[in-house]
């Protein structure tokens, strides 16, 4: 399929080609109310302004719902359901198409172009959804395996349940922030020398601060409490995907996690990329995930093999001294469980999911060091150092900035990208303790 | 202190004496919008109607905020902060006092009495808060110890971290329901015969469905992300307390919980009592919790010993055949960690808590069988049966109704009670699988 050509200047290599049309929440210095936008090339199309100026005049189905574009979150738009998202995406593609059937809407309407097409450089991002509940999974097979080898050896690397269900836990919704928000180094309780046998914890700044390279999926369609979502329906309940950094305090985690799982180690902040890429836009990039040699119970069984997305992911670290390095390159194909399987499993007991709920994939790593999506794996839990020019890292230091980049496709004029998810570590807050 | 006398008929033994004044969200058949009320004796005082009819005319501080009483949740009222809750509670006490200084407000205003004083029997309860995040702790010492003995033996009953921090995990907020809402038996994945060594799970209806007797605390005052709440401030950030049933699927839990903690075993439903009892009303019932013989780190150290509440708790089970029995009587004093310690620990990494966030205590059990707050403990994980007239139970059966009752005090005219938290088990939904 040849790329969609536009009358609008979309730079080669842009993550936001016409094949994409991701949704987000933006504001600007001159108009500070957060509102809905899509990204096109180096610009955001402000859908609130677009709707208010008859932008949707040729799309009668969306007109009764136009108020959703003035909302400070995507929740209301998402709740309209995937058929509506698809119609809006395709309409916007057609508005930007070189041979648009609606030239008067934007192509020849320079007043609206000026008002609604905002350079991304001038845009402030907000959290795309008001997140009700956030659940984090552990579906990255190689990450689960590496961590298991690290802590339990290769014989017991994977827990007995790993290949039978997408292991997950409830995360903290309130502290999910949009890319660009700095994160204070957390403080908490942990064992100073876990190996010395003394189980006397200290209170301290985290010394093993880490990132986790993940994907996150947002729910659009709710299910009632008591009514599970079947594996065949699950993907229809998903709005789209973001990149996610599940910041982790490894020393706190190691001490607290028995027997109820990670808590303080993860609750201080989770960063997501600002643009949510619709599942529909990712459809061409579906691939088979990591093969599961265990028998999958029928309630989790997909009809086809291609259920994860070949999103090319990259992790870069930039130090406060200005040095930087690419730490890892990997792909969304390294998941053993799909977001549909996560959603179905999540709901199988009758748990209700709601528009704006966020599902995290778990850390995505490949098989070799250059593909590993956390410092825990990169440094073998602090045993080795990672080189960043003439600096070294075992875990993150204050001032370090971690940036994820994600993109699908090889045609520079038809990329479906996620932009970046970035966050910098600020020093711990002085508690006067 | 002699009990506050009222011109209004508050029955002896009522949980809702003038010493209480708990807050909730109600509606009625004739007025279906959920709104704020307080309970007084056998009646709810509809604060929306009360405010609209000059009920707060003598309380100038609340007048600019009266719109909070028309809200369908307590979030906005709670966010006004504890000094405001206190003023409102004391004002309502004075309005109902025999020698009220404001007789014209309600005592001699029969029109408003008729409109705003609603018999509890005619009231429909709604969830008191829109819950942003729900966190469940494990602070019931005897429960933690019993369960540890059951699964690991008496030597390793408590994990090494147990006495050093309030162990907790993030729970599922979307499926918290108000007392009276029935709960479908969950279905899910578990090992049929965990002891046989074969790690091949089945998909089935839960066979080990359980209740957990807990208390829950609601947050009123938020803390910013990155800014922990000190132990001395923590209680000021708490609105009030409810009873909570953390329904649990033990077979699902045993299979899924390694290494990230309980997930599907708990996410299908959590029930809370409708009336939230303010911390201020519970103040006279503060007692020392279970003594902790480990050194508590300074950030978690209370200045005084009395930090938990002597709430007398009772669990009753009624079967569909109409048999019933009291399974357990215990007290809130069986906690080793206070809600203030839970909140401070929760925030110590910088995690932000918000008005309406819910903290669960973990199961509250005493030392002996007649004090144990779960079937897991009552039946020793299904080894024994509990007698209910001529019926027997190891875990819950369809049609079983579990009711918690909680009350503070001994003076029948000054009880500070929670009413009931009840829920009945419905059969599993037919999934056609």
């Amino acid at each position: 399929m040849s790329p969609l050509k536009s009358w609008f200047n979309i730079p080669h290599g842009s993550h936001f080609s016409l094949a994409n049309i991701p949704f987000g929440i933006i504001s600007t210095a001159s108009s500070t109310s957060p509102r809905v936008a899509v990204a096109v090339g180096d610009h955001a199309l402000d859908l609130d302004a677009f709707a208010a100026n008859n932008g949707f005049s040729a799309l009668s189905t969306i007109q009764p719902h136009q108020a959703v574009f003035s909302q400070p979150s995507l929740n209301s738009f998402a709740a309209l359901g995937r058929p509506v998202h698809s119609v809006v995406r395709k309409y916007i593609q057609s508005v930007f198409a070189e041979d648009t059937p609606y030239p008067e809407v934007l192509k020849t309407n320079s007043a609206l172009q000026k008002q609604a097409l905002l350079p991304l450089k001038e845009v402030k991002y907000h959290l795309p959804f008001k997140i009700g509940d956030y659940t984090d999974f552990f579906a990255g097979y190689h990450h689960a395996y590496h961590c298991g080898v690290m802590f339990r050896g290769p014989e017991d690397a994977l827990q007995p349940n790993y290949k039978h269900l997408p292991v997950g836990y409830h995360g903290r919704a309130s502290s999910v922030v949009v890319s660009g928000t700095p994160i204070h180094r957390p403080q908490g309780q942990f064992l100073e020398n876990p190996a010395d046998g003394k189980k006397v914890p200290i209170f301290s700044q985290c010394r093993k601060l880490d990132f986790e390279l993940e994907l996150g999926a947002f729910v659009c369609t709710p299910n009632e409490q008591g009514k599970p979502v079947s594996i065949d329906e699950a993907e229809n309940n998903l709005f789209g995907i973001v990149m996610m950094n599940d910041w982790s305090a490894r020393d706190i985690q190691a001490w607290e996690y028995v027997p109820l799982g990670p808590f303080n180690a993860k609750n201080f902040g989770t960063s997501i990329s600002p643009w949510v890429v619709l599942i529909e836009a990712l459809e061409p990039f579906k691939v088979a995930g990591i093969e599961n040699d265990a028998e999958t119970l029928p309630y989790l069984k997909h009809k086809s093999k291609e259920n994860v997305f070949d999103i090319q992911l990259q992790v870069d670290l930039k130090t406060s001294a200005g040095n930087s390095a690419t730490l890892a390159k990997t792909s969304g194909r390294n998941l053993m469980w799909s977001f549909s399987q996560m959603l179905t499993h999540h709901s199988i007991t009758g748990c209700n999911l709601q528009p704006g709920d966020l599902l995290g994939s778990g850390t995505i790593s490949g098989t070799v060091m250059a593909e590993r999506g956390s410092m825990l794996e990169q440094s073998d839990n602090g045993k080795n150092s990672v080189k960043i020019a003439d600096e070294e890292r075992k875990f993150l230091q204050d001032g370090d900035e971690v940036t994820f980049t994600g993109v699908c496709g090889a045609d520079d004029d038809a990329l479906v990208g996620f932009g970046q998810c970035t966050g910098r570590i600020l020093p711990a807050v002085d508690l006067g303790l």
Side-chain angles (χ1 to χ4, degrees), chain A:
Chain A
M1 203 178 75
S2 63
L4 289 163
K5 286 191 181 165
S6 181
W7 52 263
F8 187 62
N9 177 28
I10 300 174
H12 293 296
S14 170
H15 279 198
F16 310 126
S17 75
L18 285 195
N20 194 348
I21 315 292
F23 288 75
I25 299 291
I26 60 138
S27 66
T28 50
S30 60
S31 177
T32 57
S33 294
R35 54 202 187 269
V36 174
V38 293
V40 180
D42 289 342
H43 289 72
L45 176 67
D46 174 345
L47 291 185
D48 184 31
F50 184 74
N53 291 279
N54 302 313
F56 288 109
S57 55
L59 191 65
S60 57
T61 52
I62 197 68
Q63 285 176 29
H65 306 297
Q66 286 195 168
V68 300
F69 300 121
S70 313
Q71 298 292 312
S73 76
L74 291 170
N75 294 57
S76 300
F77 174 60
L80 296 175
R82 284 196 47 180
V84 174
H85 315 153
S86 175
V87 164
V88 171
R89 172 172 174 264
K90 289 185 171 126
Y91 174 72
I92 293 171
Q93 287 174 329
S94 75
V95 164
F96 278 94
E98 191 153 66
D99 56 349
T100 175
Y102 322 111
E104 71 288 358
V105 168
L106 197 65
K107 185 179 181 179
T108 63
N109 185 343
S110 59
L112 185 55
Q113 285 184 32
K114 201 173 163 190
Q115 191 186 343
L117 278 168
L118 311 168
L120 290 182
K121 273 184 254 172
E122 296 170 16
V123 154
K124 181 180 173 185
Y125 294 118
H126 301 266
L127 210 55
F129 279 91
K130 183 164 168 52
I131 300 168
D133 279 286
Y134 151 47
T135 305
D136 198 22
F137 288 86
F138 195 45
Y141 172 83
H142 299 300
H143 170 74
Y145 182 79
H146 294 154
C147 294
V149 170
M150 223 179 285
F151 296 114
R152 288 181 303 275
E155 295 299 303
D156 297 314
L158 294 176
Q159 300 286 359
N161 57 18
Y162 189 82
K163 293 181 176 177
H164 296 281
L165 55 83
V167 170
Y169 67 104
H170 302 294
R172 181 75 192 177
S174 72
S175 57
V176 179
V177 297
V178 74
S179 173
T181 310
I183 299 287
H184 281 282
R185 176 176 299 276
Q187 300 170 76
Q189 192 180 126
F190 53 86
L191 296 183
E192 193 154 23
N193 298 301
D196 72 1
K198 290 185 209 141
K199 302 293 188 190
V200 180
I202 58 166
F203 176 80
S204 168
Q205 296 184 12
C206 171
R207 297 170 189 174
K208 289 187 170 183
L209 184 55
D210 202 355
F211 62 84
E212 287 195 338
L213 173 64
E214 302 198 16
L215 294 171
F218 279 104
V219 173
C220 54
T221 303
N223 64 293
E224 257 180 70
Q225 197 164 354
K227 304 274 172 66
V229 181
S230 77
I231 186 67
D232 296 335
E233 292 163 26
E235 199 173 86
N236 281 328
N237 288 19
L238 292 173
F239 179 79
I241 291 186
V242 291
M243 294 182 294
M244 193 173 110
N245 186 342
D246 178 23
W247 303 99
S248 298
R250 299 300 179 191
D251 35 17
I252 295 172
Q253 186 174 357
W255 173 233
E256 75 174 358
Y257 90 105
V258 174
L260 299 181
F263 176 54
N264 272 357
K266 306 273 194 172
N267 70 6
F268 57 93
T270 304
S271 303
I272 62 172
S273 51
W275 295 109
V276 189
V277 179
L278 298 185
I279 301 288
E280 180 178 272
L282 294 167
E283 203 63 44
F285 308 101
K286 266 192 178 163
V287 292
I290 300 291
E291 198 175 333
N292 189 340
D293 56 16
E295 182 61 28
T296 301
L297 282 164
Y299 82 96
L300 285 174
K301 213 173 219 165
H302 275 295
K303 282 188 177 137
S304 71
K305 276 199 155 188
E306 289 73 32
N307 301 295
V308 302
F309 303 102
D310 184 20
I311 303 167
Q312 301 150 45
L313 296 163
Q314 179 172 320
V315 183
D316 289 274
L317 194 154
K318 187 177 167 187
T319 72
S320 57
N323 294 314
S324 61
T326 296
L327 297 185
K329 289 185 178 192
T330 180
S331 160
R333 63 166 73 232
N334 285 314
L335 296 174
M336 178 165 270
W337 299 97
S338 70
F339 280 116
S340 296
Q341 288 172 315
M342 296 179 216
L343 190 148
T344 289
H345 182 67
H346 199 316
S347 75
I348 195 68
T349 48
C351 181
N352 52 325
L353 288 95
Q354 299 176 323
D357 284 352
L358 174 63
L359 309 179
S361 65
T363 308
I364 300 176
S365 293
T367 51
V368 300
M369 193 57 86
E371 297 173 346
R372 295 186 182 178
S374 66
M375 291 302 292
L376 179 71
E377 294 165 273
Q378 292 264 339
S379 74
D380 196 7
N381 196 16
K383 289 202 189 82
N384 313 314
S385 289
V386 174
K387 283 266 179 205
I388 297 156
D390 58 348
E391 296 185 75
E392 292 191 340
R393 289 289 182 279
K394 294 175 194 290
F395 288 96
L396 298 175
Q397 295 192 4
D398 292 350
D400 285 356
E401 187 174 69
V402 179
T403 301
F404 300 164
T405 312
V407 66
C408 296
D411 179 342
D412 261 4
D413 290 319
L415 297 180
V416 174
F418 292 75
Q420 295 192 326
C421 178
T422 189
R424 199 164 56 85
I425 304 302
L426 298 181
V429 172
D430 181 4
L431 301 177
L433 283 175

